[in-house]
């Protein structure tokens, strides 16, 4: 029982109690002043009407404690009673204020229009010989208009506060989403960097380790050369990993970034791993850092995939471009008769590369060639 009562009638806050008491006292004081003024008038109403008026005023003031539950219904009832009872006027003004605060303006204006009609009826039914009907009507309209206007002001102010709170809540939610999105993008960028930096080194390790495994009868010179490459590649991979891990807390832009000038070293390392790589560059002008870095990552991913999926195949790397025409990085690997290296399953390298090229407003194309090889090409915009 207590739970149901609490759900249907929420507890009033101290502020609500203060407002309710103030309106109740206002209605009582307004009724008492009206009653005293009426008793001092030259012409008194009939005793039965005066008694009925007092009873109506008392009931109207008492009914104000229900104004929060049914404000519109209470206001209509008090407005109708005000057509003949002047002692209920204070309670009626409080009810008009309550409707304006808690109901839509359309409902408020309908109740206000009804109150104007009852004010006119009151002037006709109970004229005051000491005052003109127009003065009484004007006074009633002014008081009712003031009550409604004050209530509408409070209503719109509350709506504005709620709107600002809702806007602030949405802004906070959007800020959290932006933070999460930024963190997600940062994690993706770091993942791409780790893949690009370590994938190349680890593929070199895989090639030479696989060669030692499948050629147990290799000469001591070949074993020593392969072991040297493995040791150097492992050391370089460890150094690259340390660089990446060392700046994980720094902005993504501070991660170690290669440039197009490092492409010669990349091709040389692939040649030391036994790959046959033919590099052709026809680049005119200074390549922007972002464009050169993306082209480097494109060639790096293509060479890594060629080592994994087409070991021993000849690879042709072509770089062409100029300001205004863009930069094209194309890597074509011939068909390979050798089986892919163990662990050479498709990964997420091309997906990350496609995202990287898209961030640079470029285009990425890849797929098999008619001769059975594989082609990967990226076009990157190069402003004039």
């Amino acid at each position: 029982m207590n739970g149901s009562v609490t759900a249907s009638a929420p507890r009033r806050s101290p502020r609500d109690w203060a407002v309710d008491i103030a309106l109740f006292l206002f209605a009582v004081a307004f009724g008492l002043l009206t009653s005293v003024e009426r008793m001092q008038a030259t012409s008194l109403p009939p005793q039965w009407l005066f008694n009925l008026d007092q009873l109506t005023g008392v009931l109207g003031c008492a009914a104000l404690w229900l104004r929060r539950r049914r404000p519109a219904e209470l206001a209509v009832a008090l407005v109708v009673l005000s057509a003949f009872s002047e002692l209920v006027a204070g309670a009626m003004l409080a009810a008009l204020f309550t409707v304006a605060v808690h109901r839509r303006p359309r409902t408020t204006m309908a109740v206000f229009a009804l109150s104007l009609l009852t004010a006119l009826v009151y002037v006709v039914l109970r004229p005051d010989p000491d005052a003109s009907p127009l003065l009484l009507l004007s006074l009633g309209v002014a008081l009712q208009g003031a009550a409604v206007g004050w209530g509408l002001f409070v209503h719109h102010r509350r709506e504005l506060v709620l709107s600002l709170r809702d806007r602030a809540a949405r802004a906070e939610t959007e800020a959290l989403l932006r933070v999460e999105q930024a963190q997600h993008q940062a994690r993706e960028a770091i993942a791409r960097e780790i893949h690009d930096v370590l994938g190349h080194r680890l593929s070199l390790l895989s090639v030479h380790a696989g060669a030692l495994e499948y050629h147990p009868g290799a000469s001591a010179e070949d074993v020593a050369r392969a072991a040297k490459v493995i040791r150097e590649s492992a050391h370089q991979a460890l150094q690259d990993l340390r660089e990446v891990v060392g700046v994980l807390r720094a902005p993504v832009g501070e991660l170690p970034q290669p440039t197009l000038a490092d492409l010669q070293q990349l091709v040389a390392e692939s040649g030391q791993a036994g790959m046959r790589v033919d590099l052709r560059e026809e680049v005119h002008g200074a390549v922007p850092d972002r464009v050169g870095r993306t082209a480097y990552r494109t060639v790096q991913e293509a060479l890594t995939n060629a080592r994994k999926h087409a070991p021993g195949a000849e690879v042709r790397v072509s770089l062409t471009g100029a300001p205004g025409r863009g930069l094209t990085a194309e890597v074509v690997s011939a068909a390979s008769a050798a089986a892919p290296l163990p662990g050479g399953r498709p990964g997420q390298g091309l997906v990350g590369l496609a995202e990287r090229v898209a961030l640079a407003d470029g285009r990425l194309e890849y797929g098999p060639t008619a001769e059975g090889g594989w082609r990967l090409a990226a076009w990157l915009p190069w402003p004039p």
Side-chain angles (χ1 to χ4, degrees), residues 1-26:
M1 178 64 71
N2 293 337
S4 61
V5 172
T6 303
S8 60
R11 290 184 177 180
R12 299 178 185 180
S13 65
R15 180 180 177 277
D16 294 338
W17 278 108
V19 173
D20 291 345
I21 292 173
L23 289 178
F24 175 76
L25 294 178
F26 165 78

Side-chain angles (χ1 to χ4, degrees), residues 252-266:
V252 177
E254 297 182 11
L255 292 172
Q257 301 288 350
T259 63
L260 198 61
D262 299 321
L263 193 60
Q264 295 284 351
Q265 180 181 356
L266 177 66

Side-chain angles (χ1 to χ4, degrees), residues 286-307:
V287 180
D289 291 341
R290 184 182 184 186
V291 176
R293 183 167 57 250
T294 306
Y296 177 94
R297 294 303 191 193
T298 300
V299 175
Q300 185 183 51
E301 178 65 22
L303 293 178
T304 300
N305 289 340
R307 277 194 298 272

Side-chain angles (χ1 to χ4, degrees), residues 287-343:
V287 180
D289 291 341
R290 184 182 184 186
V291 176
R293 183 167 57 250
T294 306
Y296 177 94
R297 294 303 191 193
T298 300
V299 175
Q300 185 183 51
E301 178 65 22
L303 293 178
T304 300
N305 289 340
R307 277 194 298 272
K308 289 181 180 179
H309 306 291
E314 183 179 358
V315 181
R316 185 178 72 253
V317 179
S318 173
L319 283 177
T320 58
R325 290 191 302 152
L327 179 67
T328 301
E330 184 183 47
V331 181
V332 179
S333 59
S336 175
L341 294 178

Side-chain angles (χ1 to χ4, degrees), residues 72-357:
E73 293 84 346
L74 178 61
V76 170
L78 295 179
V79 164
V80 172
L81 291 176
S82 69
F84 74 91
S85 174
E86 59 182 346
L87 299 184
V88 83
M92 182 265 295
L93 293 176
L96 286 177
F97 170 78
T98 303
V99 171
V101 171
H102 296 285
R103 291 295 180 264
R104 294 180 300 176
R106 180 181 300 179
T107 303
T108 301
M109 297 312 297
V111 177
F112 179 58
L114 179 62
S115 70
L116 297 181
L117 179 60
T118 57
L120 179 61
V121 172
Y122 175 83
V123 171
V124 174
L125 293 180
R126 300 186 61 177
D128 189 345
D130 299 331
S132 66
L134 182 59
L135 178 60
L136 290 177
L137 180 62
S138 300
L139 179 61
V141 171
L143 291 175
Q144 293 165 195
V148 171
W150 184 23
L152 288 175
F153 169 76
V154 175
H155 174 82
H156 290 298
R157 184 175 178 276
R158 288 183 177 181
E159 284 191 338
L160 177 60
V161 171
L162 291 176
S163 175
L164 292 177
R165 288 178 179 174
D166 181 64
R167 195 178 299 177
R170 287 202 305 268
E172 183 178 359
T173 302
E174 292 174 358
L176 291 176
L177 291 177
R178 285 195 295 269
V179 170
E180 292 179 359
Q181 183 179 9
Q183 292 175 345
H184 180 68
Q185 292 176 351
R187 287 195 296 268
E188 288 186 344
I190 292 173
R192 284 196 299 267
E193 291 299 327
I194 292 177
H195 174 274
D196 293 339
V197 170
L198 298 182
H200 172 70
R201 304 294 179 187
L202 296 181
S203 65
L204 292 177
L205 291 175
S206 178
V207 167
H208 288 281
L212 292 178
E213 179 182 2
Y214 287 100
H215 297 85
S219 63
E221 182 180 355
D222 293 338
V223 172
R225 184 171 59 253
K228 179 182 178 182
V229 173
I230 291 175
R231 179 179 57 81
E232 292 177 351
S233 298
H235 177 73
Q236 188 62 44
L238 183 60
Q239 291 297 111
D240 293 341
L241 181 60
R242 285 175 177 172
E243 290 180 1
V244 173
V245 172
V247 295
L248 282 180
R249 293 185 178 180
V252 177
E254 297 182 11
L255 292 172
Q257 301 288 350
T259 63
L260 198 61
D262 299 321
L263 193 60
Q264 295 284 351
Q265 180 181 356
L266 177 66
V267 172
E269 291 176 352
S270 299
Q272 293 176 1
M275 295 183 66
R276 293 176 294 167
V277 183
D278 178 23
L279 175 62
R280 182 172 62 90
E281 293 186 78
E282 294 182 4
V283 180
H284 306 284
V287 180
D289 291 341
R290 184 182 184 186
V291 176
R293 183 167 57 250
T294 306
Y296 177 94
R297 294 303 191 193
T298 300
V299 175
Q300 185 183 51
E301 178 65 22
L303 293 178
T304 300
N305 289 340
R307 277 194 298 272
K308 289 181 180 179
H309 306 291
E314 183 179 358
V315 181
R316 185 178 72 253
V317 179
S318 173
L319 283 177
T320 58
R325 290 191 302 152
L327 179 67
T328 301
E330 184 183 47
V331 181
V332 179
S333 59
S336 175
L341 294 178
R345 295 171 296 179
Q348 298 297 319
L350 290 179
V351 175
L353 182 61
E355 294 177 356
R356 184 187 295 275
V357 173

